Each structure stands twice: as structure tokens, then as C-alpha cells.
Amino acid sequence: SDCTCLGRLGATGLSGRSRRCGSRRRLGIRRRLRVRRRRGEFGRFGFVGREADVNAEQADGIVLRVTEFSETSCIVWWFTREFGRIDTLAKGARRRRNPFEGALDLLARSRLVFLRKSSDALDLLTEAKLERLFRAGRRDLDRLQCGFHVAELLTRFFDRYDPHAAFYDRMSRAVDRIETDGDLPLVV
């Protein structure tokens, strides 16, 4: 259909039927916004609704377990000083160029930012910056097995959102001793 605003734009202002009037486009967007406001999707200052029940949190954490979730995402279990054990969904972590850059390796210490859900759903991992990588598994199989043992103990004995700051400090010292040349039976 032709534009009805030819008087304003002039007869030569439009080149064919493929161009549409800008006022009609803006009117369509305004209608959609009104409908979204009625549904409760927009508030006065932005999104309201599904995004309102999440809180962005920051923590230092150690990776306990990584499992596949989908073709590009994975579930990561963390042990943090501030929140205890948390389970997060890392979207895009299995892509070739992922945004986490090695911060999701087993027993890696990272600074993470996640969106905490108010329900029992998985938290959404938005950022993880690697602070220290656990490299003992590349040198010695016994040290790797010892690290697996420590991670498995933490996943079994601690519930979600049960913080233990003193135990987090002990665990991070134990991982450091496993990585350096500490005596393995005394560490575990």
C-alpha cells in the first residue's frame, strides 16, 4: 500500500511501493509498547516480570563439577565463600570461543558474576574470570585423583546456599597444597 503522507513528503519523496512511511512504523512500535505495558512486561523504568525475580551477585568460587546441559551450555557447580555451594547454568560455555576462557575447569579458582534466581531453578552464570588454574592434574595422576576426591567430598557434604567461609579457606589451601608438592595423605 502507498503512503498517505505524500503531501508532507512530496510526490518524489518515495521511490516505489517498497518504502513505508516512518510515522506508521513508529505508531506500530507505540502500540506494541502499550500492549506490553498492559501485560506487565514493562514498567516505568524498563523490564518488569520475569527479570524482576533475579539478583546479580559476585563471589569468589572454586569449580566442583561441570556437566553438559545442551549443545552449547553446561551446568557448573561452585563452592563459594559467600554463598556456599551454588549450581549455575553457563550459556555458551561449550562453544569454541566461549566467554569464560578456561574459568570452568575442575578446581579452577575464579571470580564469578551470576544472576541468582528466587526460585529453585539454576542460577545463570554471566561472567567468570579465571584467577588460578589447577594444573596438578597435567603433571601427576595421583594429584589429579586427590583433587577429584576433595571436589566430590564438597559436593556430597554441603547443600546449596549453605555458606562456610572458614571451610572455603581450608579447601582453597588444600587445593594449593595439592598443586604444589605437599604430602597428599596429609592434605586429604
Side-chain angles (χ1 to χ4, degrees):
S1 66
D2 290 330
C3 180
T4 58
C5 301
L6 287 179
R8 191 166 25 133
L9 295 175
T12 59
L14 296 174
S15 61
R17 294 176 179 235
S18 61
R19 291 184 119 180
R20 294 180 58 192
C21 175
S23 63
R24 279 190 174 177
R25 247 185 277 144
R26 275 187 248 119
L27 184 62
I29 291 171
R30 287 182 189 146
R31 282 183 189 156
R32 282 181 276 179
L33 288 175
R34 266 187 264 142
V35 169
R36 286 183 179 175
R37 281 192 186 113
R38 281 189 215 129
R39 288 185 198 154
E41 293 178 27
F42 277 88
R44 184 173 174 195
F45 300 108
F47 275 102
V48 177
R50 286 187 283 173
E51 281 78 9
D53 62 346
V54 294
N55 299 321
E57 303 283 355
Q58 292 184 359
D60 291 323
I62 298 175
V63 177
L64 299 178
R65 181 180 292 177
V66 179
T67 56
E68 296 177 1
F69 180 73
S70 69
E71 195 172 307
T72 59
S73 303
C74 60
I75 298 173
V76 184
W77 290 18
W78 300 85
F79 189 66
T80 64
R81 175 183 286 121
E82 296 87 358
F83 301 102
R85 185 177 65 88
I86 59 172
D87 306 339
T88 60
L89 177 64
K91 291 186 175 181
R94 297 185 58 211
R95 291 186 189 141
R96 180 173 289 172
R97 294 185 182 186
N98 67 39
F100 303 111
E101 298 177 6
L104 303 182
D105 288 338
L106 183 71
L107 295 175
R109 194 172 310 143
S110 302
R111 181 79 180 151
L112 60 127
V113 177
F114 64 99
L115 298 176
R116 187 172 178 182
K117 303 285 184 164
S118 61
S119 64
D120 226 11
L122 291 172
D123 300 328
L124 183 64
L125 183 67
T126 57
E127 183 179 340
K129 184 177 180 184
L130 181 65
E131 290 182 356
R132 185 167 181 164
L133 189 63
F134 181 71
R135 295 185 177 148
R138 296 178 183 164
R139 296 179 305 197
D140 188 8
L141 191 59
D142 291 334
R143 294 190 184 282
L144 179 65
Q145 186 176 5
C146 190
F148 282 158
H149 185 66
V150 169
E152 187 65 30
L153 287 174
L154 287 173
T155 57
R156 288 189 185 212
F157 291 121
F158 289 101
D159 292 329
R160 289 180 66 187
Y161 297 110
D162 187 18
H164 294 281
F167 199 81
Y168 174 84
D169 294 334
R170 287 182 190 159
M171 191 253 182
S172 92
R173 281 194 306 265
V175 169
D176 290 342
R177 286 186 63 197
I178 290 170
E179 192 167 2
T180 60
D181 293 326
D183 192 18
L184 291 181
L186 293 177
V187 171
V188 179

